[in-house]
Amino acid sequence: MTMLISERTHPGRIAYALPPCDVPMHTLPDFAKRAAPAALPELSELDVVRHYTALSRRNFGIDNGMYPLGSCTMKYNPKLHEEIMRIPGLAHVHPEQPVRSIQGMLALLVALEHDLAQITGMDAITLQPAAGAHGEYTGLMLIRAYHEHKHEHRTHVIVPDSSHGTNPASAMLAGYEVITIPSDPNGLVNTEALRRVVGPHTAALMLTNPNTLGLFEKDIVEIADIVHSAGGMLYYDGANSNAILGIARPGDMGFDVVHLNVHKTMSTPHGGGGPGAGPVGVKEALIPFLPNPRIQYTDGQYTLYDNPQSIGKVKAYLGNIGVLIRAFAYIRSYGPQLRNVSEHAVLHANYLKTRLSPFFDVPVEGICKHEFVLSAKTIKQQTGVRALDIAKRLLDYGFHPPTMYFPTNIEECLMIEPTETESLETLDAFADALIRIVEEAHAEPDLVVRAPHTTPVKRLDEATAARKPVLHCHCGVD
Amino acid sequence: MHVPEQYAYTAQHEWLYGEDNAAKVGITDFAQCALGDIVYVDLPPIGTQVEKGASFGSVESVKTVSELYAPVSGTVVATNEVLKDEPQHVNTAPYTDGWMIAIALTDASQRESLWDAAQYEQAYGA
């Protein structure tokens, strides 16, 4: 195992020596001083560089290889957008600066709000939420504020059984009771089941479209009608927006509240725990409740103002600005060609699905959107090799595994989202690797069950890690 | 798939076994196998009223978190404290050491709505 940086410490070793102090010294008041020196690691610059370079070589990211993690949209993040985010005029502003000195930043954010409203078909956008689930929570708070404003006490949020786990979790956190409805045999929302559960208690239905199986909810207009007739609102989880950019808009489908995971769809680095950004779009009726402050343009300048009916702030200042700038750069570098992103994402998914279908169970036949699910149910019955083992073996072939065991309504599920940024050669290499693994499962199942063989750490004991997690290091630091 | 004869079952993969004043509830061998390694079991406090068909807790595996549904209505009179530290009993002994709660039934006739072993096996057997 790799040592932690604090375990590599060597007392007295330093990377830099500061010159003697040639300005007046001020000492901290006693109450602000540590009782004992901080146990910081002591290393040379070369020690530090080698430590982190070694760690980075053990990491796997989109810059290393294909990362077809279903529903996570692990596409390439163009380096141009990193450069733009680092333009000093954008990178060096402080949120406490006077508003008149950050007019350019505010203009960019307003333009981004406008672009996202156009892309989603909504009337207004807040850029504050820090990620997808935060967007969901914000959206549900907006829905709650809207119903309460109308003096309606609505207590239930409906989700389909294929929904992302964050949907019921956000609804619970927002104080709602969650009702799960089963999918129909084609993997779509069962409209009859929906009709049975809507009523005066329905606050909202949360839906991802296309859904987690990569299927477009073709009955969306009828679904919207069912929910709206009961007085409920329709919430769009934008996790799968990569399938519909420039082609279909949630606002036109009847959705009232939308969040976009711009860190996924608009291609900013993600997957390392953040930061992300989950802008939320709303229809006109919900605008008064959007988080404060709002940005407005009047008399030739941008200013901030507070809405009295707002749900309040949901994030410090105006949001995760670095992510938002990258998203803006992404949208503007594509321009009207944004539609190509989704066309290629869908084409790639269907290409892979067609190539892999003869080798796996295919829970849902036919054309998919940007992602698809395969099942290893028959492979497991015949060989004992599970979806988990196949995913681990893919590491040996240099690919990040797809999402496993999700959605939960599919047995031994592998959920594959190739994204639009992979070449035909890479897609073929990935398909070849999976097909080869299926052959291995039959010929030499042990090879697959014991995988991975080539990674810095081999098969991890995930159950013990979850049952007996060790959450802090024992390296002399209190 | 192991399905003990004398137990009663739900379509959601819970089992019920024991006297009306303290019938034990757990999940089936089929369920633990599908879930994979169980890492956490969330159970209600003793004294909780549970309703037939409603969630009384959840079970978390390395794959997923699943709701647990009460096979019958009643009061929770005991919970399997051992699962707090050793949830793996649900995997290794789903019908014995892996029991989850014991219920004092409010209406013993609800037992009649549960499946017997043959019915459960017919529904989920290979």
Side-chain angles (χ1 to χ4, degrees):
Chain A
M1 289 296 285
T2 308
M3 285 164 82
L4 299 174
I5 187 111
S6 46
E7 291 167 330
R8 290 185 184 278
T9 191
H10 184 97
R13 189 167 290 172
I14 52 171
Y16 294 101
L18 296 175
C21 183
D22 58 357
V23 293
M25 294 270 281
H26 290 276
T27 47
L28 286 171
D30 280 344
F31 75 86
K33 287 182 184 164
R34 287 179 181 278
L40 297 175
E42 297 174 88
L43 296 97
S44 72
E45 181 173 327
L46 184 56
D47 291 338
V48 176
V49 168
R50 285 192 178 150
H51 178 76
Y52 286 108
T53 304
L55 287 182
S56 79
R57 289 168 66 173
R58 294 181 171 195
N59 191 22
F60 187 97
I62 192 70
D63 292 352
N64 298 89
M66 186 176 168
Y67 204 142
L69 194 61
S71 258
C72 294
T73 316
M74 306 305 285
K75 61 167 87 171
Y76 176 63
N77 311 302
K79 300 302 175 234
L80 171 68
H81 309 153
E82 298 297 310
E83 297 239 348
I84 291 172
M85 197 273 294
R86 288 177 172 81
I87 292 173
L90 295 172
H92 295 167
V93 300
H94 191 281
E96 293 283 11
Q97 267 177 245
V99 168
R100 62 180 158 72
S101 71
I102 52 167
Q103 290 290 300
M105 176 69 86
L106 295 180
L108 185 153
L109 295 177
V110 167
L112 176 60
E113 286 184 2
H114 177 80
D115 287 356
L116 295 178
Q118 275 227 310
I119 290 166
T120 56
M122 306 307 280
D123 294 321
I125 301 277
T126 173
L127 300 174
Q128 270 189 36
H134 193 202
E136 291 172 30
Y137 181 70
T138 304
L140 289 164
M141 298 299 282
L142 293 169
I143 288 169
R144 174 181 288 284
Y146 169 82
H147 288 313
E148 282 178 2
H149 182 68
K150 290 171 64 183
H151 303 289
E152 287 183 1
H153 184 61
R154 291 173 177 267
T155 49
H156 288 53
V157 166
I158 305 165
V159 298
D161 61 2
S162 64
S163 79
H164 285 209
T166 49
N167 291 177
S170 300
M172 288 286 280
L173 202 62
Y176 288 110
E177 192 171 321
V178 178
I179 298 181
T180 305
I181 52 169
S183 302
D184 72 12
N186 301 317
L188 298 172
V189 168
N190 183 330
T191 49
E192 286 316 305
L194 178 61
R195 267 181 222 286
R196 280 196 294 276
V197 298
V198 294
H201 49 268
T202 303
L205 167 70
M206 299 181 82
L207 209 56
T208 313
N209 195 16
N211 69 19
T212 299
L213 296 169
L215 304 172
F216 190 81
E217 295 283 356
K218 58 183 175 47
D219 299 324
I220 185 59
V221 174
E222 184 189 351
I223 291 167
D225 189 49
I226 294 169
V227 176
H228 287 152
S229 301
M233 301 230 114
L234 204 55
Y235 183 94
Y236 183 85
D237 178 329
N240 293 341
S241 304
N242 214 43
I244 62 162
L245 293 175
I247 296 166
R249 307 195 307 169
D252 300 333
M253 298 176 205
F255 285 93
D256 304 288
V257 183
V258 170
H259 88 256
L260 283 180
N261 304 65
V262 297
H263 49 283
K264 293 165 53 174
T265 315
M266 309 304 176
S267 183
T268 75
H270 65 289
V280 169
V282 296
K283 290 282 177 64
E284 199 173 0
L286 290 135
I287 292 176
F289 311 109
L290 286 172
N292 284 333
R294 302 284 300 147
I295 310 170
Q296 64 184 354
Y297 184 68
T298 47
D299 300 331
Q301 65 172 333
Y302 293 94
T303 52
L304 302 178
Y305 69 99
D306 283 349
N307 258 331
Q309 287 175 286
S310 165
I311 60 166
K313 285 181 83 65
V314 299
K315 172 90 177 68
Y317 303 110
L318 299 170
N320 275 337
I321 297 289
V323 178
L324 296 170
I325 295 169
R326 289 184 183 98
F328 183 69
Y330 183 82
I331 294 168
R332 291 302 173 103
S333 29
Y334 274 99
Q337 270 85 49
L338 202 54
R339 184 190 173 97
N340 289 1
V341 167
S342 294
E343 287 172 348
H344 283 263
V346 171
L347 178 64
H348 291 186
N350 279 286
Y351 179 74
L352 275 186
K353 184 177 183 184
T354 306
R355 272 211 65 191
L356 293 169
S357 287
F359 304 92
F360 290 85
D361 298 304
V362 184
V364 188
E365 302 275 356
I367 301 284
C368 63
K369 287 289 177 285
H370 66 306
E371 67 187 4
F372 60 99
V373 293
L374 298 173
S375 165
K377 188 179 169 185
T378 304
I379 296 170
K380 183 182 164 189
Q381 280 167 1
Q382 292 173 347
T383 70
V385 169
R386 302 162 295 164
L388 171 79
D389 304 315
I390 294 170
K392 297 284 187 197
R393 181 65 177 146
L394 265 173
L395 294 169
D396 288 331
Y397 285 92
F399 295 100
H400 194 286
T403 297
M404 306 174 297
Y405 300 110
F406 184 83
T408 50
N409 51 354
I410 306 292
E411 236 177 286
E412 291 302 319
C413 184
L414 289 168
M415 181 191 191
I416 300 171
E417 180 180 9
T419 83
E420 72 282 6
T421 55
E422 300 301 335
S423 67
L424 180 61
E425 295 77 41
T426 309
L427 295 176
D428 274 330
F430 175 73
D432 291 343
L434 264 180
I435 293 165
R436 180 86 186 276
I437 293 168
V438 175
E439 288 165 6
E440 289 172 351
H442 287 278
E444 208 181 338
D446 227 34
L447 179 70
V448 185
V449 169
R450 290 169 188 271
H453 305 280
T454 59
T455 48
V457 286
K458 306 295 180 265
R459 183 73 66 104
L460 298 171
D461 184 353
E462 292 167 25
T464 300
R467 284 169 187 160
K468 305 261 180 231
V470 179
L471 300 175
H472 59 277
C473 77
H474 303 277
C475 38
V477 182
D478 289 329
Chain B
M1 181 174 85
H2 179 44
V3 185
E5 279 289 325
Q6 59 279 41
Y7 285 44
Y9 300 90
T10 70
Q12 289 84 32
H13 311 289
E14 286 84 14
W15 55 258
L16 180 85
Y17 177 70
E19 303 295 319
D20 286 348
N21 61 357
K24 283 182 176 170
V25 175
I27 63 171
T28 63
D29 186 37
F30 178 89
Q32 72 77 17
C33 186
L35 286 167
D37 291 330
I38 307 292
V39 296
Y40 185 70
V41 184
D42 188 22
L43 298 176
I46 290 169
T48 305
Q49 300 292 316
V50 295
E51 202 181 319
K52 179 179 165 60
S55 168
F56 70 81
S58 64
V59 58
E60 182 176 345
S61 75
V62 288
K63 293 181 196 170
T64 188
V65 179
S66 294
E67 298 283 337
L68 296 164
Y69 299 101
V72 290
S73 302
T75 308
V76 176
V77 293
T79 59
N80 189 353
E81 292 297 308
V82 177
L83 296 183
K84 269 185 190 162
D85 290 323
E86 295 167 18
Q88 56 267 40
H89 290 303
V90 178
N91 293 118
T92 53
Y95 297 107
T96 52
D97 292 348
W99 70 278
M100 292 174 176
I101 59 171
I103 298 178
L105 279 67
T106 31
D107 178 4
S109 73
Q110 282 182 349
R111 283 177 186 270
E112 288 158 27
S113 66
L114 300 174
W115 287 350
D116 62 23
Q119 284 170 302
Y120 185 79
E121 229 169 346
Q122 197 182 355
Y124 296 108

